[in-house]
């Protein structure tokens, strides 16, 4: 997965597309890779801005305004010929709120990862906890081996994996998560005395992972 640190990234958008969206009076989004999309937004959207640019007040003394001000004070926008260079770090709290509902996992609270939004993976993660395999353990496999985006809010490296995770191929992530847990659980049952005798919940989890 690509780590996209909002405190360092500059998003590049097409100026003409942005002006068209700003003048449309429609709600639009700017994606993490600079594309402009309109409502209804796709379920896999990863955005750095969502909203609409309000029209000028009838009392305004000018009929135009600088592009740099259209997204509000939380953004820094620089015009570069036909491109806009956007720094979105000041809007990170809004960005978390917009994207949280679409992310596979949320690691922004400081309390760790509580669940997966995908029900199949959530079932995998829930069963794996019986063998002391945490959500972070599974997520590390995704961040190492899956194509996707880790939308981070860290100001300094090293990254502390604080962010929202998105994978582009959910089927791959499901297989990877399941196979990782199954292999580890088989090893624990074979070699860890703690699991020499299984509780009912551990037995159920072992059967789920076909580890017996």
């Amino acid at each position: 997965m690509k780590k996209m640190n909002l405190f360092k990234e500059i998003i590049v958008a097409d100026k003409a597309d942005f002006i068209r969206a700003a003048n449309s009076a429609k709600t639009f989004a700017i994606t993490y890779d600079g594309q402009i999309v309109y409502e209804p937004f796709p379920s896999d959207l990863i955005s750095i801005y969502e909203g609409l640019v309000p029209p000028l007040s009838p009392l305004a003394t000018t009929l135009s305004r600088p592009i740099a001000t259209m997204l509000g004070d939380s953004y820094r926008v620089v015009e570069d010929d036909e491109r806009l260079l956007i720094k979105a770090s000041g809007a990170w709290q809004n960005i978390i709120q917009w994207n949280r509902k679409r992310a596979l996992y949320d690691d922004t609270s400081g309390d760790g990862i509580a669940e997966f939004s995908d029900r199949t993976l959530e079932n995998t993660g829930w069963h794996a906890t019986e063998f002391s395999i945490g959500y972070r353990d599974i997520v590390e496999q995704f961040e190492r081996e899956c194509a996707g985006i880790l939308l981070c809010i860290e100001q300094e490296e090293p990254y502390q994996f604080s962010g929202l995770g998105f994978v582009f191929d959910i089927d791959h992530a499901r297989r990877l998560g399941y196979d990782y847990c199954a292999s580890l659980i088989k090893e624990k049952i074979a070699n860890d005395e703690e699991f020499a005798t299984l509780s009912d919940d551990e037995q159920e989890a072992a059967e789920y992972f076909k580890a017996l």
Side-chain angles (χ1 to χ4, degrees):
M1 294 171 69
K2 175 186 176 182
K3 297 182 180 73
M4 183 175 181
N5 188 344
L6 289 171
F7 288 103
K8 294 184 177 182
E9 293 285 339
I10 295 176
I11 294 87
V12 180
D14 182 84
K15 185 194 296 186
D17 289 344
F18 173 78
I19 293 173
R20 192 176 302 112
N23 292 333
S24 70
K26 297 178 181 178
T27 299
F28 67 96
I30 304 174
T31 68
Y32 75 96
D33 56 356
Q35 303 301 307
I36 306 291
V37 297
Y38 295 86
E39 282 190 321
F41 298 138
S43 60
D44 59 352
L45 175 67
I46 308 172
S47 68
I48 57 96
Y49 173 83
E50 295 180 28
L52 55 81
V53 176
L56 285 167
S57 166
L59 301 179
T61 58
T62 178
L63 297 178
S64 63
R65 57 188 150 186
I67 290 176
T69 67
M70 289 182 177
L71 296 181
D73 295 338
S74 298
Y75 294 84
R76 297 292 177 264
V77 182
V78 175
E79 297 182 52
D80 178 31
D81 295 326
E82 300 305 314
R83 308 185 305 166
L84 296 180
L85 309 181
I86 303 170
K87 194 73 180 289
S89 57
W92 66 267
Q93 290 176 309
N94 285 333
I95 292 170
I96 288 174
Q97 293 303 316
W98 292 326
N99 289 284
R100 179 176 279 144
K101 59 185 177 292
R102 297 185 291 256
L104 176 61
Y105 60 89
D106 177 3
D107 195 13
T108 63
S109 67
D111 297 326
I113 301 166
E115 63 180 341
F116 293 120
S117 62
D118 178 75
R119 301 320 302 171
T120 300
L121 274 172
E122 172 57 21
N123 204 25
T124 295
W126 184 80
H127 279 93
T129 58
E130 295 296 335
F131 285 87
S132 303
I133 301 172
Y135 286 78
R136 165 50 55 194
D137 299 316
I138 301 171
V139 160
E140 286 177 357
Q141 312 311 307
F142 300 159
E143 291 172 355
R144 182 165 50 246
E145 299 190 37
C146 289
I149 294 292
L150 177 60
L151 197 60
C152 299
I153 56 172
E154 296 303 315
Q155 287 183 281
E156 296 181 2
E157 295 193 47
Y159 291 102
Q160 298 174 7
F161 300 100
S162 177
L164 301 174
F166 305 82
V167 298
F168 296 154
D169 185 342
I170 191 63
D171 288 333
H172 176 226
R174 289 168 178 166
R175 292 191 301 272
L176 181 66
Y178 182 92
D179 290 347
Y180 166 76
C181 293
S183 176
L184 199 54
I185 289 169
K186 288 177 183 177
E187 180 180 343
K188 285 175 178 280
I189 291 174
N191 301 309
D192 192 334
E193 292 185 359
E194 181 182 349
F195 300 106
T197 302
L198 301 180
S199 68
D200 290 345
D201 289 340
E202 290 166 350
Q203 179 79 21
E204 179 184 342
E207 291 173 356
Y208 173 84
F209 287 108
K210 300 180 175 61
L212 296 176

